[in-house]
Amino acid sequence: AEPTPEPTPTVVPRPNVVSDLPIPVGGQMDTFDDDAVAFMQQAGMTWMKWQIPFVIGDSNLINVARDRINYAHENGFFAVLSIKGNKDDLRELGADYYPLLAEFMGTIATLQPDAIQVWNEQNLDREWPNGRINPASYTEMLRQAYEAIKAVDPQIRVITGAPAPTGAEGFFGQNAVWNDDRYYLGMANAGAARYADCIGIHYNEGILPPSAQGGDPRGEYPTYYFQQMIQRAFFPFRLNGADIPLCFSELGYLSPDGYGALPSGFAWGANTSVAEQAQWLRDAILLASQSTRPRVELIIVFNVNFTRFIDGDPQGGYAIIRPDGSCPACETIASLRGTP
C-alpha cells in the first residue's frame, strides 16, 4: 500500500488583539507554559518571543518554529522569533552562508509570525566568529534575510539583531567584541535601516530605576542607564537621517531573590530585589512609551519563565515568574493598562 502522506500542519492565523498598555509589551518564553500565558495575559502583554536556532540541514526546526508561532497565536499573542545561526558555519562559509539563512527565514515567513529578528548580539564572538565581527557584513546578511521575508509576507516586521550593550572592546580587543555604540554606527553607515522595520536593542544590566541618569556604583558608563541606552542605539541612525523606531528584544532586571547567590560575573545584581525588578520594568515601559525621538514600538521582557540559574548563566534571576510561582512584575505592568 502507498504510505499515507503526512497531513500538512495547519498555520494558526494571527490573532486580532489590541494592546491596552501604553506601548506593546511581550515576554520571552523558554517552554510551553499555560501558567505563564495566564500571567502574561494578566499583565496586558500582547507579544510572545521565542529564540529559534538555524542549523544547516535540520528541517525539523521549521516544525519547532511553527509550533511556537501557533502556540502564541492560539493564546492570543503576536509571535516574534529571534533566529540566529551557528557561528562556526558562518566562519566556514563566509558570505555563502547568508543565502542559506535567508532561505530559512523565507520558509519561516510562510508560517505567519508577526516579527522576525535577524541574529542576536552579533557584536560578540560568543555569537559571531572571532576576528570577523563587522557591522557591514551583518548588514548584508540582514539585507538578504529582509528581502526573503518580505517577498513572502510584507506584513512581517523585521527587527535587526540587537548588539549586546558593552564597553569591553578596550579590554578584550575588537577581534572578540565591538562596543555596541561603534557597532550601531557601523550598521547605520552600512544602511541597515533600509532592511529593517525596527532596530533591535537590549538592556539587561541596570541596578537603578530606569529614570536614573547617574549614580551607578559601577561607574557612569551609558549602558548602565535605560534612557541613555535608548539614545545610544538611536543616535547613529539619526545621524544618517533614518527616523527608524527601536524595539527592545530583551529588557530585563536581574534579581537573585529566591535563588541564592549570583555567579561572580553577575554579582553586580546582588542587591536588586524582586519588588525593584517589578517596579523598574513597569517604569521602563512607561518611560519608553513617552519617548518620541526615537519611538519605541515594542518591549520584550527578558524573560518570563526561564529557570536556569547556573554559573555564568543565571537566566532564572531575570525571570518575572519567580521560584515561588508568583509574578510581581505582572501586577505592576498590569497597573499601566488603560494608560494612554
Side-chain angles (χ1 to χ4, degrees), residues 5-303:
E6 285 290 305
T8 307
T10 54
V11 170
V12 176
R14 295 179 174 125
N16 183 14
V17 58
V18 178
S19 171
D20 63 358
L21 292 171
I23 185 174
V25 177
Q28 183 165 340
M29 297 283 277
D30 187 34
T31 53
F32 297 123
D33 180 342
D34 292 345
D35 292 337
V37 164
F39 273 128
M40 293 168 72
Q41 290 167 338
Q42 173 202 345
M45 292 184 182
T46 48
W47 285 79
M48 186 179 282
K49 177 188 168 188
W50 300 94
Q51 197 156 64
I52 306 282
F54 165 58
V55 179
I56 294 172
D58 185 349
S59 58
N60 185 54
L61 288 169
I62 301 296
N63 298 326
V64 171
R66 181 201 67 225
D67 292 347
R68 280 150 185 75
I69 295 165
N70 284 353
Y71 185 77
H73 288 173
E74 284 163 358
N75 285 292
F77 295 91
F78 298 120
V80 53
L81 297 188
S82 169
I83 298 176
K84 63 167 190 164
N86 182 296
K87 68 176 183 179
D88 297 327
D89 291 342
L90 178 55
R91 168 180 291 286
E92 192 178 323
L93 294 171
D96 291 341
Y97 183 84
Y98 307 160
L100 301 176
L101 179 72
E103 181 186 20
F104 180 75
M105 299 258 185
T107 304
I108 296 291
T110 66
L111 306 173
Q112 295 193 6
D114 302 276
I116 295 176
Q117 183 171 37
V118 181
W119 218 268
N120 177 65
E121 299 197 336
Q122 62 272 16
N123 60 326
L124 305 180
D125 68 358
R126 191 178 67 224
E127 304 281 7
W128 199 272
N130 182 285
R132 304 265 187 91
I133 297 171
N134 183 329
S137 303
Y138 168 74
T139 299
E140 175 57 22
M141 170 191 280
L142 175 69
R143 180 189 71 80
Q144 293 187 30
Y146 176 87
E147 291 176 354
I149 292 163
K150 294 292 187 178
V152 172
D153 186 348
Q155 275 188 280
I156 296 172
R157 195 179 308 188
V158 176
I159 304 171
T160 71
T166 181
E169 70 176 41
F171 187 76
F172 291 106
Q174 276 189 267
N175 281 341
V177 57
W178 280 37
N179 288 355
D180 56 302
D181 57 341
R182 182 201 295 272
Y183 198 94
Y184 279 122
L185 180 61
M187 285 171 60
N189 290 342
R194 294 199 297 272
Y195 311 116
D197 300 298
C198 210
I199 302 300
I201 175 174
H202 285 175
Y203 178 73
N204 50 25
E205 53 183 21
I207 58 171
L208 294 174
S211 57
Q213 300 277 13
D216 193 299
R218 296 167 294 181
E220 296 301 326
Y221 201 70
T223 60
Y224 297 156
Y225 300 103
F226 177 69
Q227 294 179 91
Q228 290 183 37
M229 194 63 222
I230 289 177
Q231 291 304 325
R232 185 174 169 91
F234 179 61
F235 183 69
F237 294 94
R238 190 174 72 189
L239 279 181
N240 274 269
D243 188 18
I244 186 167
L246 302 180
C247 289
F248 278 93
S249 48
E250 288 186 14
L251 170 60
Y253 290 95
L254 176 62
S255 172
D257 282 11
Y259 279 102
L262 284 163
S264 59
F266 294 84
W268 48 263
N271 296 323
T272 300
S273 68
V274 164
E276 286 171 327
Q277 178 199 60
Q279 187 63 40
W280 295 349
L281 284 169
R282 175 204 174 276
D283 293 350
I285 290 163
L286 189 59
L287 281 168
S289 75
Q290 295 163 349
S291 173
T292 52
R293 294 219 48 203
R295 300 184 319 284
V296 180
E297 282 197 344
L298 177 64
I299 288 181
I300 299 293
V301 172
F302 180 81
N303 59 72

Side-chain angles (χ1 to χ4, degrees), residues 253-257 259 262 277 302-310 313-323:
Y253 290 95
L254 176 62
S255 172
D257 282 11
Y259 279 102
L262 284 163
Q277 178 199 60
F302 180 81
N303 59 72
V304 178
N305 65 340
F306 288 61
T307 56
R308 286 189 291 285
F309 196 83
I310 54 175
D313 198 23
Q315 293 182 344
Y318 283 95
I320 56 174
I321 297 178
R322 303 306 299 184

